[in-house]
Amino acid sequence: MEDELEPSLRPRTQIQGRILLLTICAAGIGGTFQFGYNLSIINAPTLHIQEFTNETWQARTGEPLPDHLVLLMWSLIVSLYPLGGLFGALLAGPLAITLGRKKSLLVNNIFVVSAAILFGFSRKAGSFEMIMLGRLLVGVNAGVSMNIQPMYLGESAPKELRGAVAMSSAIFTALGIVMGQVVGLRELLGGPQAWPLLLASCLVPGALQLASLPLLPESPRYLLIDCGDTEACLAALRRLRGSGDLAGELEELEEERAACQGCRARRPWELFQHRALRRQVTSLVVLGSAMELCGNDSVYAYASSVFRKAGVPEAKIQYAIIGTGSCELLTAVVSVSLEGALPPPALWGGTPRSSALNQFTLQKKKK
């Protein structure tokens, strides 16, 4: 009897698997892929943008910029990207609650479109300030997507795949880095005349997300807990899981909804005031700080200078740069594979959906 049922269930399972895969790709291509892409493409036109800045300044004032000021202007162009990321990270929370996960990712592309326009017309306008503003805007886009994409994917995936699906953000980041390095080759868009088009090419991943993500469901958790729409939540679950038994997952969501009633969103400094959250938040701060302070991201922006100082032949520098991105991509794929191979949280006593904050809220209500 089971053998007779298997063929009829298999196509349905494959369809739901494809929807989940499309959801991962649609969220990732305009999300953390965009972050990695904009992180690496700025390296290829380093000398061209420095020359453009110097020529623009000379055309305005009649005098060229000293070398140390050219380097300062270049450093500002590079560093405005992480500064925009900080603003985007602060904006991500309110956006995710107000608009929802999917709509936030779609609205986030406004920053990419604006930046692409600024990049594309910066040389014709003779304005290096447009490049600076564009870098700030793509940074805001990266800050929003890096926070909301894992949230959206984690809430859309089944609990046995939740860890691996959320970790796919790392793969898209590394893939974006490699693609930015490849597109920045001199044979493609890395030439002295094509750098505005290279910077503006961030519009392509954004357009792909705008075309694909509206066709996919919103996060079921957001629809039930934040919107209170049970029917929409069930419809999203059916698209993501199929027409099987959804009672267990819906019950988990209802429990979380009851735990969250009457609770407002916690401010960052309030998270350290609760014992149930203090250790988790501290761990995240330490790990996140270690990852950022190791200088990994800055290497991609200054890779050409590093390899040039190291004595790598000029003709081979661009290929050595692609090698650095490929190493990160390989590491990300291996890490996500190992994450997917681990048993689900339910097997080792964890809570697959309820966070430490929800546990704290339930204990408080019981008291």
Side-chain angles (χ1 to χ4, degrees):
M1 188 68 178
E2 292 179 359
D3 295 337
E4 293 177 1
L5 290 175
E6 278 183 4
S8 62
L9 292 174
R10 201 170 296 159
R12 187 178 300 168
T13 304
Q14 290 176 351
I15 291 173
Q16 307 314 317
R18 288 173 185 171
I19 292 176
L20 179 60
L21 180 61
L22 288 173
T23 302
I24 295 170
C25 293
I29 192 65
T32 52
F33 178 92
Q34 192 78 268
F35 160 65
Y37 188 78
N38 287 292
L39 181 65
S40 63
I41 61 170
I42 196 64
N43 173 72
T46 298
L47 297 178
H48 308 317
I49 294 178
Q50 289 178 355
E51 291 174 2
F52 167 72
T53 302
N54 196 16
E55 292 170 0
T56 303
W57 186 268
Q58 188 170 6
R60 293 178 183 176
T61 64
E63 296 181 358
L65 271 174
D67 291 342
H68 69 279
L69 290 182
V70 172
L71 183 60
L72 176 62
M73 300 299 289
W74 171 249
S75 300
L76 284 174
I77 290 173
V78 173
S79 58
L80 281 170
Y81 184 61
L83 179 62
L86 174 61
F87 295 147
L90 297 174
L91 183 64
L95 270 180
I97 295 173
T98 305
L99 299 179
R101 293 28 163 173
K102 186 177 83 169
K103 287 183 181 178
S104 295
L105 290 173
L106 292 172
V107 170
N108 192 32
N109 286 288
I110 292 175
F111 300 111
V112 171
V113 173
S114 302
I117 294 172
L118 290 170
F119 290 144
F121 292 99
S122 58
R123 186 169 60 184
K124 287 187 177 180
S127 173
F128 56 82
E129 294 87 354
M130 293 173 68
I131 301 176
M132 292 181 174
L133 181 57
R135 289 289 291 175
L136 183 68
L137 291 177
V138 291
V140 174
N141 171 271
V144 172
S145 63
M146 288 181 70
N147 286 273
I148 296 182
Q149 180 186 330
M151 189 188 309
Y152 172 57
L153 294 179
E155 293 174 356
S156 299
K159 60 184 179 182
E160 63 271 13
L161 298 175
R162 198 163 294 150
V165 169
M167 281 289 292
S168 65
S169 301
I171 292 181
F172 280 100
T173 299
L175 184 61
I177 289 172
V178 174
M179 287 302 299
Q181 293 167 340
V182 171
V183 174
L185 289 171
R186 284 187 294 271
E187 294 83 357
L188 298 177
L189 297 180
Q193 302 300 319
W195 63 262
L197 186 59
L198 172 63
L199 296 181
S201 62
C202 62
L203 182 62
V204 176
L208 290 174
Q209 185 177 73
L210 287 171
S212 58
L213 194 57
L215 306 175
L216 299 164
E218 175 61 274
S219 158
R221 181 190 181 279
Y222 169 77
L223 292 172
L224 183 64
I225 296 176
D226 294 313
C227 300
D229 193 338
T230 305
E231 293 184 1
C233 174
L234 274 173
L237 283 174
R238 288 194 185 100
R239 288 196 65 190
L240 291 166
R241 311 282 188 270
S243 56
D245 186 11
L246 304 174
E249 189 165 0
L250 190 62
E251 184 179 353
E252 286 183 12
L253 287 170
E254 290 288 358
E255 290 177 1
E256 188 173 355
R257 179 186 182 185
C260 293
Q261 283 183 350
C263 297
R264 62 174 177 80
R266 306 283 174 172
R267 296 181 176 88
W269 57 87
E270 292 178 338
L271 298 176
F272 290 95
Q273 297 175 2
H274 299 295
R275 291 184 178 180
L277 297 174
R278 194 174 300 155
R279 182 175 296 179
Q280 288 89 336
V281 174
T282 303
S283 299
L284 289 173
V285 170
V286 171
L287 291 172
S289 301
M291 183 177 68
E292 296 304 324
L293 294 176
C294 72
N296 182 57
D297 291 350
S298 62
V299 168
Y300 294 116
Y302 298 99
S304 294
S305 302
V306 171
F307 284 119
R308 195 173 288 114
K309 292 288 185 182
V312 177
E314 188 69 30
K316 296 182 179 179
I317 287 178
Q318 58 181 355
Y319 303 108
I321 293 171
I322 295 176
T324 62
S326 300
C327 289
E328 180 165 344
L329 177 59
L330 176 61
T331 304
V333 171
V334 171
S335 300
V336 173
S337 301
L338 291 175
E339 173 71 21
L342 291 174
L347 298 181
W348 42 267
T351 52
R353 184 175 290 275
S354 298
S355 64
L357 177 59
N358 293 331
Q359 292 181 12
F360 171 79
T361 307
L362 286 170
Q363 292 171 4
K364 186 176 179 181
K365 287 189 175 184
K366 287 178 181 179
K367 291 179 180 179

